[in-house]
Amino acid sequence: LICRVTDTKKVFSFAWTDADSKSVTAATDSQPNEKDVQESKIKVTSTKDTTYKCVVNDPNGKQNTEATITLNVFEITNPTEVMAIVGAAVSLTCGVTGNTGTPTYKWYKVGRDDPVYTDPGNGATSTYNIAKAQFSDDGAYKCTVAMKVGDFTNDGYDSGMAGSRR
């Protein structure tokens, strides 16, 4: 998480707390850089939705501003192995649980760089359908999920593999 102050030549201090008002970091001073930007970065690991607060104090100890950031945690449900019959329809499905916002799903055949399926972008479906399975469809597949939160998109996460078999 990043808390940033811009357009200032003063030295500010930053302090982070979590939703329970427990200190996440001690107050730290920051020096302005060549663009008059100061920031404090923390790395967090959480298994539940958590709210963090960054309080910025001026050199006299007066609170200048504060920002509240909510970290929403989600978990990808692993796809299951699928057995397919040549010529029959087969569906590969993955999903997410938790406070997920609007996910975007992509399916890849392992060993290929280009996706075999991309969700239209509105979280419509996480299912990759093969209308008539062929021998060439045999192999391992992976589902990745990107989550849009505010104006940011996190990196995709590999959910594991689902295989199709002849």
Side-chain angles (χ1 to χ4, degrees):
L1 304 177
I2 300 173
C3 188
R4 183 175 292 138
V5 178
T6 58
D7 293 328
T8 182
K9 301 237 184 254
K10 298 178 188 175
V11 175
F12 286 85
S13 66
F14 297 82
W16 290 88
T17 58
D18 65 10
D20 299 324
S21 296
K22 293 180 185 167
S23 178
V24 176
T25 63
T28 57
D29 289 339
S30 175
Q31 296 296 322
N33 65 17
E34 64 279 355
K35 295 182 182 175
D36 294 331
V37 174
Q38 298 175 61
E39 61 185 30
S40 173
K41 297 179 184 180
I42 62 170
K43 188 173 186 175
V44 296
T45 303
S46 183
T47 57
K48 64 178 184 157
D49 290 357
T50 307
T51 300
Y52 295 91
K53 185 187 296 185
C54 174
V55 176
V56 181
N57 293 318
D58 70 15
N60 298 319
K62 180 181 175 190
Q63 181 174 327
N64 182 274
T65 190
E66 70 178 49
T68 302
I69 302 164
T70 300
L71 177 66
N72 296 316
V73 177
F74 68 94
E75 180 179 353
I76 298 174
T77 56
N78 285 324
T80 57
E81 189 163 327
V82 174
M83 300 293 273
I85 299 170
V86 172
V90 63
S91 296
L92 305 177
T93 303
C94 74
V96 293
T97 60
N99 188 358
T100 59
T102 305
T104 300
Y105 301 94
K106 288 185 182 180
W107 278 95
Y108 294 85
K109 186 170 184 181
V110 174
R112 291 182 53 183
D113 292 332
D114 55 322
V116 294
Y117 168 77
T118 300
D119 165 27
N122 58 4
T125 184
S126 61
T127 302
Y128 168 48
N129 294 304
I130 301 171
K132 292 183 179 181
Q134 302 299 312
F135 288 116
S136 60
D137 294 317
D138 184 39
Y141 291 79
K142 70 178 180 178
C143 174
T144 63
V145 181
M147 193 67 58
K148 180 141 176 92
V149 181
D151 291 332
F152 303 94
T153 300
N154 67 359
D155 295 333
Y157 292 87
D158 288 344
S159 67
M161 309 259 183
S164 66
R165 305 231 189 261
R166 286 181 232 144

